[in-house]
Amino acid sequence: MNETGAQTGAPRAAEASGASAAEEPLLKVTGLVKHFPINKGLLRRQSGAVKAVDGIDFDVRRGETLGIVGESGCGKSTMGRLITRLLEPSSGKVEFEGKDITHLGVAGMRPLRRDVQMIFQDPYGSLNPRHTVGTIVGAPFKLQKVTPEGGVKAEVQRLLSLVGLNPEHYNRYPHEFSGGQRQRIGIARALALKPKLVVADEPVSALDVSIQAQVVNLLDDLQEELGLTYVIIAHDLSVIRHVSDRIAVMYLGKIVELADRKSLYEAPMHPYTTALMSAVPVPDPRRRGAKSGRILLKGDVPSPISPPSGCRFHTRCWKATELCTTQEPPLVALKTGHQVACHHPENAPDQAPGDKALPGAAEAVETPTL
Amino acid sequence: MSVADVPAKAIEGRSPGRIAWMRLKRDKVALTGGVVVIFLILVAVFAPQIVSLLGHPPNEFHEDLIDPDLGTPIGSFGGVSSDFLLGVEPTNGRDVFSRILYGARISLIVAFLAAFVSVVIGSLLGALAGFLGGWVDGVISRLMDLLLAFPQLLFTIALVSVVPNSLMGLEGSSVRMAVLILVIGFFGWPYIGRIVRGQTMSLREREYVEAARSLGAGRGYILIKELLPNLVAPILVYSTLIIPTNILTEAALSFLGAGVKPPTASWGKMLSDAIPIYQDDPMYMVVPGITIFITVLAFNLFGDGLRDALDPKGS
Ligand SMILES: Nc1ncnc2c1ncn2[C@@H]1O[C@H](COP(=O)(O)OP(=O)(O)OP(=O)(O)O)[C@@H](O)[C@H]1O
Ligand code: SF4
Ligand SMILES: [Mg+2]
């Protein structure tokens, strides 16, 4: 997690020297699918399914921060809960340190829970109102039956000070803290067992904007201090743009673009990413020269119950052609460290030139000039 | 609310229970209800001692206090005097004061124990239905619907009439009381069950449950350590609200002749005895009537106050 990416040790070095095959990813996801069945009627027959996550592949490298962005309902949380195995995938594979954890049960997952932890979105809902902070932050030790050096109480107090809370507030209840402080309690709990991978599902979106930066910076500092690997989920780029090493953009249960942060910001390829980036309130001066104006996507996100055929974005894409409606573009690397799933990407050669544009595609967006 | 600027001494947290207690203390109406409830419980517990001081044994006849021609008590207000604080019964002249006190024992014992039965069954099945969902929920929910639609009063009257006089070591009124407790308790559990089921279903979706699962918690831990502490408040509230309902049910059953056996005193029986002669001796109807009214009101006010005090959204 850093601005330049230069001092990120292992993963970058490995990639540069071409030794990435030897460097096993911390987490490897292949063809991950989660469909929630919809049961209707008296007999509860399955009448369809919410295709929340519909076939995604990615790796998480040791020590990096992978940012995941996408609009509400595109399946980010579902993805997060699949890789932490709070949900069981419908199909596909999740490997943690080379071990297949796709269908492990509660007991099978228990030892791995130490290594994979989650920070939740809702600072009010994620802490049990009837437990003291001491009980909450101490729960990981109890559940994993480990006694830290110096005892649970001392360790909980150390964790509280680590996240910037008063260690004497051990006996207080969650309602006595502000939203930001509560989120810090959640972070302390997630870090108690010294995990390797931390999945943070919109860790700051419920907080005041003024507090968001503090919590993001805390996560950043802790990563450096403890050598953590992060998957941070966000619904827009503003939160994760500075802290991610790589960013995956999701749309309707699919990853449509996955690239190094710098590459993504300098030359986004997927039209959806372009739209997302133009929605970020702080305009990037480097990008302004390339293409000015904000792109406002029209229309709603289609339902994940029956996603559009071909490229799922074709109903809202201004570059859509007939091919886009029938053939799903595969996620392929068009550049080192830059994968995209689009027939007609921006900032890259057209993958299917000469195809007939869809009537009305150009009106799919508004581009008001600034 | 900021914690950082609170002096370091005040590190003891204010638990949700303590906050509820502080809120309850400010609610004068609920507090009055609570005081009356405690008073009634004490009166019922110490009925023999109080009666020996201020009254006469509940089944002792005082025919000398009855007008032999009319069968009503001599004197005004149903024979109220310093010796008989609430007057005497028509026909046989038993002390109404001591019969009300002994009746309180029957009423409260039946109401509390029946509530206990309802709470145990209702909490257990409600929590299981809400937590496990699926077919377990389906079966338990249909059972609750069935019981709520059941003609409870008719069933109880029929049942009481066929229960033998002695059963499993109990005799007479004790058998009747045991039957009343079990029947009222059994028909009352779906009310608690529905509430606990709904609460459990909503609690189960909270993120702290996910958090516990992400730490490796199993179902047992989640139900007992994460959900149960949050179910105590609603269970407590609905227990206090089911008690007055039980008092009324017991009174109604006694009124209809399906309560404890005479000569055991009971409020409902006193009311039903009073109906035929209420024009000649209104006092005999007013006393148990007001007693039932005050008791039920006190429990309801206290229960409502408790609910407000335990409401997390309250100020
Ligand atoms: N347990 C579930 N049962 C049925 N449908 C679900 C379930 N969980 C999520 N979904 C559906 O799956 C889709 C993706 O949900 P998800 O929560 O993963 O989206 P998200 O990207 O995290 O959105 P948000 O930004 O709102 O958090 C949504 O349509 C949602 O309604
Ligand atoms: S594949 Fe076609 S519809 Fe999809 S994003 Fe690319 S251009 Fe747009
Ligand atoms: Mg989400």
Side-chain angles (χ1 to χ4, degrees), chain A residues 292-312:
Chain A
S292 65
R294 291 173 62 134
I295 301 161
L296 299 175
L297 288 177
K298 282 193 196 161
D300 290 328
V301 187
S303 158
I305 297 167
S306 51
S309 62
C311 173
R312 295 180 179 204

Side-chain angles (χ1 to χ4, degrees), chain A residues 133-142 146-168 170 184-185 187-195 225-226:
Chain A
V133 173
T135 311
I136 290 168
V137 181
F141 303 112
K142 198 170 154 198
V146 291
T147 316
E149 252 177 86
V152 173
K153 186 176 175 189
E155 181 63 10
V156 167
Q157 293 188 321
R158 191 189 68 79
L159 286 162
L160 289 179
S161 40
L162 183 70
V163 298
L165 292 172
N166 184 344
E168 296 305 315
Y170 186 87
R184 286 168 192 263
I185 298 169
I187 293 171
R189 169 176 61 191
L191 299 182
L193 298 165
K194 305 194 169 62
E225 223 173 306
L226 306 171

Side-chain angles (χ1 to χ4, degrees), chain A residues 1 65-68 76-77 79-80 83-84 117-121 183 187 190 197-204 215 219 229-235 239-240:
Chain A
M1 223 193 231
T65 295
L66 176 66
I68 311 261
K76 307 179 297 292
S77 297
M79 188 278 300
I83 61 176
T84 50
Q117 271 302 305
M118 188 143 182
I119 295 169
F120 294 89
Q121 174 174 3
Q183 204 57 322
I187 293 171
L197 175 66
V198 174
V199 177
D201 186 0
E202 309 207 19
V204 296
V215 174
L219 287 172
T229 304
Y230 283 147
V231 172
I232 299 187
I233 296 169
H235 60 259
V239 171
I240 57 167

Side-chain angles (χ1 to χ4, degrees), chain A residues 34 36-38 50-53 70-81 87 121 201-202 233-235 250 304-305, chain B residues 205:
Chain A
K34 182 68 188 179
F36 294 106
I38 306 166
V50 181
K51 300 180 174 107
V53 170
E71 279 167 291
S72 178
C74 71
K76 307 179 297 292
S77 297
T78 306
M79 188 278 300
R81 294 167 64 203
L87 281 176
Q121 174 174 3
D201 186 0
E202 309 207 19
I233 296 169
H235 60 259
M250 280 185 76
I305 297 167
Chain B
E205 303 298 327

Side-chain angles (χ1 to χ4, degrees), chain A residues 131-288:
Chain A
H131 290 173
T132 63
V133 173
T135 311
I136 290 168
V137 181
F141 303 112
K142 198 170 154 198
L143 279 163
Q144 289 288 338
K145 300 196 173 60
V146 291
T147 316
E149 252 177 86
V152 173
K153 186 176 175 189
E155 181 63 10
V156 167
Q157 293 188 321
R158 191 189 68 79
L159 286 162
L160 289 179
S161 40
L162 183 70
V163 298
L165 292 172
N166 184 344
E168 296 305 315
H169 290 154
Y170 186 87
N171 274 325
R172 290 190 172 249
Y173 287 84
H175 65 85
E176 299 175 273
F177 295 89
S178 67
Q181 289 172 321
R182 285 165 148 256
Q183 204 57 322
R184 286 168 192 263
I185 298 169
I187 293 171
R189 169 176 61 191
L191 299 182
L193 298 165
K194 305 194 169 62
K196 292 175 180 155
L197 175 66
V198 174
V199 177
D201 186 0
E202 309 207 19
V204 296
S205 64
L207 304 178
D208 282 354
V209 179
S210 56
I211 297 163
Q212 287 188 350
Q214 288 175 22
V215 174
V216 170
N217 288 339
L218 172 70
L219 287 172
D220 203 359
D221 294 344
L222 289 169
Q223 181 173 41
E224 220 156 281
E225 223 173 306
L226 306 171
L228 299 168
T229 304
Y230 283 147
V231 172
I232 299 187
I233 296 169
H235 60 259
D236 65 44
L237 284 159
S238 62
V239 171
I240 57 167
R241 65 183 306 165
H242 298 298
V243 294
S244 304
D245 298 307
R246 290 191 304 146
I247 292 171
V249 181
M250 280 185 76
Y251 187 76
L252 271 182
K254 290 268 185 194
I255 290 183
V256 295
E257 186 160 11
L258 175 57
D260 294 341
R261 181 178 58 99
K262 195 154 165 273
S263 185
L264 190 85
Y265 274 97
E266 282 177 358
M269 292 183 187
H270 200 281
Y272 179 62
T273 313
T274 322
L276 269 189
M277 292 207 334
S278 77
V280 174
V282 195
D284 188 323
R286 273 169 303 179
R287 269 197 19 79
R288 196 178 261 165

